[in-house]
Amino acid sequence: MQPGYHPQQQPPINNNMTMSIVAIFLFWPLAIPAIINASKVNPLLQQGDYAGAQAAAAESRKWSKWALIAGITWYAIFLVCCALGGLGALMSGGSGNS
């Protein structure tokens, strides 16, 4: 290395661990790969593998987004079905006295 030479610092990479943990509460089957990839980012950065860390972060973000979309969709369908079931009970009399 030459005197006065400073290696270029790479910008920090967001490992998306927070989004992955939130996603596990919504749809855990897709959130598990998100957490696994998020946990790879920091060790790859420490090893100097910036490209590998970026790839792991991108995979984590992808799986987290899919888990969030699937979880929100699942809960929305569940709420609509419950609301329609309750509405159907109200419209049919719902009291159970015949």
Side-chain angles (χ1 to χ4, degrees):
M1 272 187 159
Q2 297 175 352
Y5 174 76
H6 299 287
Q8 184 179 7
Q9 286 285 352
Q10 300 290 348
I13 297 176
N14 181 3
N15 63 7
N16 301 301
M17 185 62 82
T18 304
M19 187 164 64
S20 301
I21 291 172
V22 170
I24 205 159
F25 292 107
L26 293 174
F27 197 75
W28 66 267
L30 295 178
I32 290 173
I35 290 175
I36 290 170
N37 280 299
S39 67
K40 292 179 183 178
V41 173
N42 290 341
L44 287 171
L45 281 175
Q46 290 172 351
Q47 295 170 5
D49 186 3
Y50 191 77
Q54 281 183 320
E59 282 293 307
S60 174
R61 188 170 31 261
K62 177 185 77 172
W63 285 107
S64 295
K65 285 182 181 179
W66 279 111
L68 291 172
I69 290 168
I72 290 169
T73 303
W74 177 256
Y75 285 116
I77 290 170
F78 178 77
L79 289 174
V80 167
C81 289
C82 287
L84 291 178
L87 184 61
L90 285 173
M91 296 191 77
S92 67
S95 64
N97 296 335
S98 298

